[in-house]
Amino acid sequence: MRTASRRLASTAASLLMTPLRLDDFVELVNPLWSSRQLWGRVEAVRPETTDAATLTIRPGRGWREHRAGQYVGTAVRVAGVWRQRAYSVSSAPGRPDGCFEITVKAVAGGRVSGQLVYGVMPGTVVRLDSPTGEFVLPQTVPERILFLTAGSGITPVMSMLRDLALRDAMPDVVLLHSARSRADVIFGAELRGLADRCASLRLHERHTRPGGDAARPADRERPPLAELLAACPDWSRRSTWACGPSGLLAEAETLWREAGVADRLRVERFRPAIADVDAGAAVGGTVHFTRSGRRVATDAGTPLLAAGESAGVLMPSGCRMGICRTCVSRLGAGRVRDLRTGVEHGEAGDYIQTCVSAAAGDVDIDL
Ligand SMILES: Cc1cc2nc3c(=O)[nH]c(=O)nc-3n(C[C@H](O)[C@H](O)[C@H](O)COP(=O)(O)OP(=O)(O)OC[C@H]3O[C@@H](n4cnc5c(N)ncnc54)[C@H](O)[C@@H]3O)c2cc1C
Ligand code: FES
């Protein structure tokens, strides 16, 4: 009854305030109360390493609790333009304060990650999507787990480890983690403390620049997978979750497939796996965004999403790697190349994913 009268009052107020809706005013007072868009407010920013930081975010109305391992579409204003990227939730589900955390590593030349690590203050309002993703533990947690991570790939696994530790449900876990140096291990102190306290968690760190000096040549930027797995001889009998650079994940997929245990490996990619294409044969073209009237010349390796953004076109996007389909747009003319497979396809009227499609000649997009 109380809900019905509240809804009536809200509708009446909306009508009186036409053409502005009640939600427009609500958003002005406190965006977190909006029922139209999910917002979040950054409550704290905590440096983790020299180039990574954790943001504590208080989500607004409509937020649904994440499952450990899932990611959240997060948009922040950069030079007046909202830019969205996906970030794994690094905190455990069910925090008593209702907040959640993401941990971002600044990518050189990146438009959003640098802003989140170095340019965001407590009080900043960000746009959020609901948590999503399949990189999660099953309801019945396997008895033996291998987590294979590198760099910022630790973030979804950190949420799982924190969750397991809080529930006092840590099974037999091996965590093989690779980073440039001890100081570059995101959550390093917490991981080492957890492994000290929890007998069933074994942590093996591999440092590629042990001195931590960026000017020094690396021992190896990425250790061969076989070298990492030497610390876990029963890897093929464990349920494995892997998150890290594309090369590491591709190598793991091959190894697990060849060992006949591909079904025991789940991977989370932060960037799409790009197919090798003969650079001489592949051509780009001029992309014409027909609704906005913008045109941009682009090469055969640049996603149409990035080309459009660089030309100032408002491009819908979510995961930016071919999973969520938020970026699907209508092809007006021309053909595109799927960057994941290298295959050319498309005809006028087809719907394409702009985040994993590049121009294969001149192209019209209905945006
Ligand atoms: C499911 C999912 C979960 C993710 N979780 C996290 C997370 O927890 N923490 C985190 O830091 N990032 C995470 N990412 C990556 C994140 O979404 C962004 O891609 C990353 O922050 C770079 O964005 P940017 O705007 O700074 O770079 P852009 O401006 O988009 O790109 C700038 C340059 O950096 C390159 N680049 C883009 N992404 C990466 C990358 N991940 N590594 C190296 N080079 C890159 C691009 O090719 C380009 O050359 C996740 C991505 C996905 C799909
Ligand atoms: S942005 Fe998610 S599929 Fe393209």
Side-chain angles (χ1 to χ4, degrees), residues 1-201:
M1 183 63 192
R2 208 184 293 157
T3 313
S5 53
R6 213 181 292 146
R7 205 176 300 134
L8 193 66
S10 157
T11 310
S14 274
L15 287 172
L16 284 171
M17 291 168 180
T18 303
L20 284 179
R21 286 170 47 87
L22 181 59
D23 238 29
D24 295 316
F25 291 99
V26 167
E27 277 187 23
L28 282 177
V29 178
N30 186 345
L32 269 55
W33 294 341
S34 171
S35 58
R36 197 173 41 182
Q37 163 70 48
L38 181 54
W39 297 93
R41 187 176 56 232
V42 176
E43 301 281 271
V45 182
R46 189 172 70 242
E48 296 285 354
T49 64
T50 51
D51 59 0
T54 292
L55 279 65
T56 307
I57 299 174
R58 179 171 302 287
R61 191 167 154 192
W63 174 255
R64 151 175 79 64
E65 188 65 80
H66 76 287
R67 284 180 68 188
Q70 288 190 312
Y71 65 90
V72 176
T74 308
V76 64
R77 259 181 119 103
V78 183
V81 179
W82 285 100
R83 296 206 182 271
Q84 171 156 339
R85 299 290 184 269
Y87 291 101
S88 307
V89 179
S90 52
S91 52
R95 275 172 61 122
D97 64 0
C99 294
F100 72 94
E101 292 186 332
I102 58 171
T103 302
V104 182
K105 184 173 160 63
V107 165
R111 273 167 294 186
V112 174
S113 56
Q115 171 84 0
L116 290 173
V117 174
Y118 306 116
V120 160
M121 301 290 163
T124 302
V125 170
V126 293
R127 282 207 310 231
L128 300 172
D129 283 342
S130 290
T132 185
E134 303 299 319
F135 191 72
V136 292
L137 293 173
Q139 294 298 346
T140 308
V141 177
E143 283 173 19
R144 281 184 300 178
I145 292 179
L146 167 61
F147 291 129
L148 178 63
T149 58
S152 56
I154 187 67
T155 51
V157 165
M158 193 68 213
S159 180
M160 295 182 197
L161 287 171
R162 285 171 166 161
D163 184 38
L164 291 168
L166 278 170
R167 292 193 283 126
D168 207 9
M170 189 75 72
D172 174 347
V173 174
V174 176
L175 168 59
L176 302 182
H177 182 68
S178 164
R180 278 174 307 196
S181 70
R182 189 175 159 87
D184 279 307
V185 176
I186 300 173
F187 315 121
E190 184 178 344
L191 285 171
R192 289 166 207 134
L194 201 56
D196 284 347
R197 285 195 310 278
C198 200
S200 62
L201 169 63

Side-chain angles (χ1 to χ4, degrees), residues 71 305 316-328 340 352-356:
Y71 65 90
L305 173 60
S317 74
C319 67
R320 304 176 77 87
M321 55 178 300
I323 308 169
C324 71
R325 302 187 64 81
T326 310
C327 64
V328 164
R340 297 164 298 181
I352 54 152
Q353 290 165 284
T354 62
C355 69
V356 287

Side-chain angles (χ1 to χ4, degrees), residues 273-361:
I274 302 293
D276 281 337
V277 176
D278 176 1
V283 290
T286 298
V287 187
H288 179 203
F289 295 92
T290 48
R291 266 190 276 159
S292 55
R294 309 270 172 124
R295 285 175 200 273
V296 62
T298 173
D299 62 31
T302 302
L304 295 170
L305 173 60
E309 285 177 343
S310 70
V313 182
L314 200 59
M315 305 285 294
S317 74
C319 67
R320 304 176 77 87
M321 55 178 300
I323 308 169
C324 71
R325 302 187 64 81
T326 310
C327 64
V328 164
S329 302
R330 204 174 141 275
L331 190 62
R335 284 170 72 73
V336 294
R337 175 176 302 98
D338 189 317
L339 289 163
R340 297 164 298 181
T341 58
V343 174
E344 245 183 70
H345 67 99
E347 54 186 63
D350 282 0
Y351 284 85
I352 54 152
Q353 290 165 284
T354 62
C355 69
V356 287
S357 306

